[in-house]
Amino acid sequence: MTTPDPDGPPARGRFTSKVLAGGREPDPRFTLANERTFLAWIRTSLALTAGGIAVEAFTGSVFDPLTRMVLGSVLLGLAGLLAVTAGFRWIRVERAMRHGRPLPLPLVVPVLATGGAVAAGVLLVFLLLRQV
C-alpha cells in the first residue's frame, strides 16, 4: 500500500477511486454544485412519490379505479426512475469534471417530461369525460 503524498490531495478509498474512475480533483464548488443538482432531482422524486401516494389515498371519490391506478402508477414509476437516474447522473457528471470532458446531457429529462405530459393528459381526458 502506498502512503499519500503530504503535499497532494488525500488518498481516496479503492471503491471511491473505482467509481470516480481517476482523473484530477475538480474545484470543490463544482462538486458541491453537482451534489445540489442531485439533491434537487431527489426532491423532485420525493414530490412525485407523494403525488402518487396522494392520488391513490385521497382521490377515491373523484377518480374511477382505472384512472387512479394509471395516474398513481405513472407518478410512482417516474419517481423511482428519477431517483435511480439521479445517482447515475451525479457519477457521470463527476467523472466528466475529473477528466475535463463536456458534461453529459441529462437523459432522464425527456422521460420525465413525457411522463408529466402523460399524467396531465390522463387528468385532462378524465376531466373532459366527467363533464359529459
Side-chain angles (χ1 to χ4, degrees):
M1 179 164 214
T2 62
T3 58
D5 178 12
D7 296 329
R12 292 199 174 262
R14 194 174 346 173
F15 176 75
T16 304
S17 295
K18 186 171 182 155
V19 168
L20 296 177
R24 294 181 330 165
E25 287 286 327
D27 185 326
R29 293 174 292 180
F30 300 132
T31 295
L32 293 172
N34 188 26
E35 185 176 321
R36 284 190 300 273
T37 303
F38 165 75
L39 293 172
W41 285 112
I42 293 298
R43 279 192 305 272
T44 303
S45 174
L46 289 171
L48 289 168
T49 300
I53 291 170
V55 163
E56 183 56 38
F58 302 120
T59 62
S61 62
V62 178
F63 297 131
D64 61 273
L66 179 63
T67 303
R68 235 178 39 230
M69 183 193 68
V70 169
L71 189 55
S73 297
V74 166
L75 292 172
L76 291 172
L78 285 172
L81 178 68
L82 189 57
V84 169
T85 58
F88 287 113
R89 171 144 174 86
W90 181 88
I91 291 169
R92 290 176 62 217
V93 168
E94 190 69 20
R95 283 180 182 168
M97 288 190 302
R98 289 172 173 277
H99 294 281
R101 294 190 307 251
L103 298 181
L105 290 175
L107 300 176
V108 74
V109 169
V111 175
L112 187 60
T114 302
V118 167
V122 168
L123 283 173
L124 181 63
V125 168
F126 174 78
L127 290 175
L128 292 174
L129 292 177
R130 189 172 182 194
Q131 299 300 320
V132 175

